[in-house]
Amino acid sequence: TQLPPMLCQCTNLQLLDLTHNALSSLPSPGFERLTGLVDVRLGYNQLTSLPSGLGSLCRLKDLDLRGNANLVGIPEDLLRDSTLQHIQVDASLLGIDGMLAEMPGRDAYLHR
């Protein structure tokens, strides 16, 4: 399942809840145009990667990635150069000493 490209035109959208939609990918490029997003819920899909533009969302504070067993990483700019404050991921996916360790001052909610 994929998102319709016109979703990326909703620039004032603040909450995007796509939980349990069997998504295999997100629009890239294009996702970075959703500049109003504060809360993104992508849990329990089939994502293998995230678009690099996710890190350029200047208002993003909360990101839920739980239940994406095939997700192999998180874009580096999302962990270092963003306003992200909370991220929810499966501990078995990234591990406590993995990429999340590079998020100084941010909370990571690891689900075991």
Side-chain angles (χ1 to χ4, degrees):
T1 305
Q2 294 186 342
L3 294 175
M6 70 181 292
L7 176 71
C8 295
Q9 297 174 10
C10 301
T11 57
N12 292 323
L13 193 63
Q14 293 181 3
L15 168 65
L16 181 61
D17 188 348
L18 298 171
T19 306
H20 293 283
N21 276 288
L23 294 173
S24 57
S25 65
L26 298 173
S28 181
F31 209 79
E32 69 278 358
R33 286 183 269 176
L34 298 172
T35 55
L37 283 176
V38 175
D39 187 348
V40 177
R41 300 173 189 172
L42 300 170
Y44 305 98
N45 283 292
Q46 298 170 5
L47 298 173
T48 57
S49 64
L50 299 172
S52 59
L54 207 54
S56 66
L57 298 177
C58 59
R59 299 176 74 196
L60 184 63
K61 293 185 179 176
D62 298 295
L63 179 62
D64 182 355
L65 298 170
R66 293 173 292 164
N68 284 287
N70 297 321
L71 189 62
V72 294
I74 295 176
E76 192 173 311
D77 61 341
L78 184 61
L79 298 177
R80 293 194 178 145
D81 304 325
S82 75
T83 56
L84 189 63
Q85 294 177 358
H86 303 100
I87 185 170
Q88 294 179 299
V89 296
D90 296 324
S92 61
L93 176 65
L94 298 176
I96 294 172
D97 297 324
M99 298 179 83
L100 295 178
E102 299 177 24
M103 284 181 62
R106 294 175 172 94
D107 297 324
Y109 297 98
L110 299 173
H111 293 264
R112 298 179 191 271

